[in-house]
Amino acid sequence: MGSLGWPEILIILLVIVLLFGAAKLPTLARSAGRSMRIFKSEMNEMKNDGKPSPVEGAVPPAADTVVPDPATKPATDPVTDPTKKNQA
């Protein structure tokens, strides 16, 4: 009594097509796929517990190299900076 057979599944699919229309079904399937993708990524994020995932193929910088912070602006050189003309 608890299992669905092929006739029941076909009737359910027919009712869905009649309710939503054949034109909206691809859009519904696409949005369901996106929702599942988002759900899967959120579950993976919960498993990692906020730890950043390594980028595939990325090589970590060596310990003695200096990586510039993109938030800071580089210092301008008064010799090459055109706004600082002839200040001696």
Side-chain angles (χ1 to χ4, degrees):
M1 180 165 180
S3 65
L4 292 176
W6 285 107
E8 291 87 4
I9 293 174
L10 289 175
I11 290 172
I12 291 170
L13 290 175
L14 181 65
V15 169
I16 290 173
V17 169
L18 290 175
L19 286 176
F20 295 108
K24 292 186 179 181
L25 287 179
T27 306
L28 290 173
R30 192 175 306 118
S31 65
R34 286 181 185 152
S35 298
M36 289 303 294
R37 216 174 302 125
I38 291 170
F39 179 74
K40 183 179 175 183
S41 69
E42 290 295 325
M43 290 301 293
N44 287 337
E45 184 67 28
M46 286 178 60
K47 286 180 184 177
N48 291 340
D49 197 32
K51 298 175 189 168
S53 61
V55 177
E56 190 172 317
V59 178
D64 61 344
T65 59
V66 177
V67 179
D69 185 11
T72 61
K73 293 183 179 180
T76 58
D77 186 10
V79 174
T80 59
D81 192 1
T83 60
K84 310 270 185 192
K85 291 184 181 179
N86 298 331
Q87 291 180 352

